[in-house]
Amino acid sequence: MKLVRKNIEKDNAGQVTLVPEEPEDMWHTYNLVQVGDSLRASTIRKVQTESSTGSVGSNRVRTTLTLCVEAIDFDSQACQLRVKGTNIQENEYVKMGAYHTIELEPNRQFTLAKKQWDSVVLERIEQACDPAWSADVAAVVMQEGLAHICLVTPSMTLTRAKVEVNIPRKRKGNCSQHDRALERFYEQVVQAIQRHIHFDVVKCVLVASPGFVREQFCDYMFQQAVKTDNKLLLENRSKFLQEIPRDGIKRT
C-alpha cells in the first residue's frame, strides 16, 4: 500500500489518500472503509445524452465522485471492492444525493475521510504501508565493525539499518580496547535487530559474514539474552540461521 497524503486533525477527523499496490492491500482497504465514511475516487458513470434531433442515447464517462458510504462488498477472487453510496459533492454528471457504486482495485488511488480516525485503523494503515510488515525473511550481513540489517520482501531487499563501529586492532599483550569496541558493536547490532525486525512476521533471520564473525556475534547475542532474560530473542532463537559457505546452513 502506498500512502500519498495524510491529513488528520487534532480531533482525529481528516482524510488519507492511498493506492493499493498488492492483492493483500484490497483486504486492508476493505477493513478501512466503514459505513458513514466519505470515499473519493475515479469511476465510470453511465450518462444519458440527447442529440439535437431529440434522440436519446447513453455514454459511459469517467469522472471523480465523492460518496457517503452506505454499503461495502469485497470480492476476494476478483480482488475488487465495491462501495455503494450517495454523491455528496457537485458533479456535472451525477446529481447530489444520487446513488453510485465505486469499484476499487489495485493501483487505483482513492481518498478516504472519517469524522473520527481511531488508533487501530491508523495502525493498520501504518502496517499496510510499511514493507517491513510483508517481509518474512531478514538478513544480518556483517563483518567486524560493520553490519547491515536487511528485510527481504517478495519484490525487493530493504536495508533498514547500518551499524558501524571503529574496532581497534589487537595489540600484543593488550586486547582490552579491541574487545570493548567489539562488544559495543555487537550490542548495537542486537539493538538494531530488535528495533527493525518484526518477529511476529519474520520466519527466518539469516546471519552472514566472512570468518567466524557470525558465530561470535550469535554466541554473544544469546548469552546476553539469557543474562537479561530477553524473551523476544530467546523465543525466536530458532529463526536465526548462520550462513556457512562450505557446509550449508547452520542453525543457531
Side-chain angles (χ1 to χ4, degrees):
M1 186 86 80
K2 179 182 179 181
L3 178 63
V4 180
R5 283 184 300 276
K6 179 180 177 182
N7 183 18
I8 308 296
E9 303 295 337
K10 291 182 179 179
D11 61 357
N12 288 330
Q15 63 185 29
V16 296
T17 301
L18 300 164
V19 180
E21 296 178 312
E22 305 289 341
E24 186 179 354
D25 291 339
M26 297 309 301
W27 172 250
H28 288 301
T29 303
Y30 172 61
N31 284 280
L32 292 175
V33 181
Q34 297 175 325
V35 172
D37 294 345
S38 72
L39 177 73
R40 182 173 178 82
S42 175
T43 186
I44 299 294
R45 179 77 173 186
K46 189 175 182 180
V47 179
Q48 285 192 340
T49 57
E50 184 175 346
S51 68
S52 57
T53 60
S55 61
V56 177
S58 64
N59 291 321
R60 291 166 60 86
V61 297
R62 179 167 291 281
T63 186
T64 299
L65 293 180
T66 303
L67 304 183
C68 178
V69 178
E70 292 191 6
I72 308 133
D73 179 55
F74 180 52
D75 185 341
S76 58
Q77 292 187 338
C79 204
Q80 189 177 76
L81 189 66
R82 295 171 59 85
V83 182
K84 181 181 178 181
T86 53
N87 183 37
I88 58 174
Q89 282 193 7
E90 290 287 349
N91 184 279
E92 61 177 310
Y93 302 111
V94 185
K95 295 180 181 179
M96 291 281 288
Y99 277 94
H100 185 78
T101 298
I102 291 177
E103 295 181 349
L104 296 179
E105 55 190 24
N107 299 310
R108 181 166 293 177
Q109 179 175 298
F110 67 90
T111 298
L112 181 66
K114 292 178 181 286
K115 295 177 181 178
Q116 183 78 23
W117 287 89
D118 63 45
S119 58
V120 175
V121 176
L122 291 173
E123 185 178 354
R124 177 179 284 275
I125 291 176
E126 183 179 346
Q127 293 181 5
C129 295
D130 185 354
W133 288 94
S134 64
D136 58 2
V137 176
V140 182
V141 183
M142 62 193 311
Q143 63 188 55
E144 199 168 271
L146 177 65
H148 291 86
I149 313 300
C150 304
L151 297 171
V152 183
T153 74
S155 57
M156 69 183 81
T157 299
L158 304 166
T159 300
R160 299 311 295 258
K162 177 183 177 182
V163 178
E164 192 168 10
V165 173
N166 182 41
I167 309 293
R169 291 184 179 182
K170 289 183 179 180
R171 294 183 180 180
K172 188 175 182 179
N174 183 9
C175 299
S176 59
Q177 285 188 334
H178 173 273
D179 293 345
R180 282 198 301 269
L182 195 60
E183 184 173 331
R184 188 168 66 253
F185 167 62
Y186 287 162
E187 181 57 32
Q188 289 184 24
V189 176
V190 171
Q191 293 300 322
I193 287 173
Q194 293 179 100
R195 188 178 305 114
H196 295 285
I197 296 178
H198 301 294
F199 285 101
D200 51 349
V201 178
V202 169
K203 299 175 183 176
C204 169
V205 182
L206 182 64
V207 185
S209 77
F212 297 99
V213 177
R214 60 184 174 274
E215 294 181 356
Q216 294 167 357
F217 166 71
C218 288
D219 288 345
Y220 169 87
M221 177 168 58
F222 291 112
Q223 285 172 7
Q224 292 299 311
V226 171
K227 287 181 181 179
T228 60
D229 193 27
N230 188 323
K231 290 183 171 58
L232 178 66
L233 292 177
L234 294 175
E235 290 174 359
N236 291 281
R237 182 169 185 164
S238 62
K239 294 182 180 180
F240 284 82
L241 303 175
Q242 294 182 36
E243 184 273 332
I244 301 177
R246 292 185 180 179
D247 302 323
I249 298 294
K250 176 182 176 182
R251 189 172 295 276
T252 298

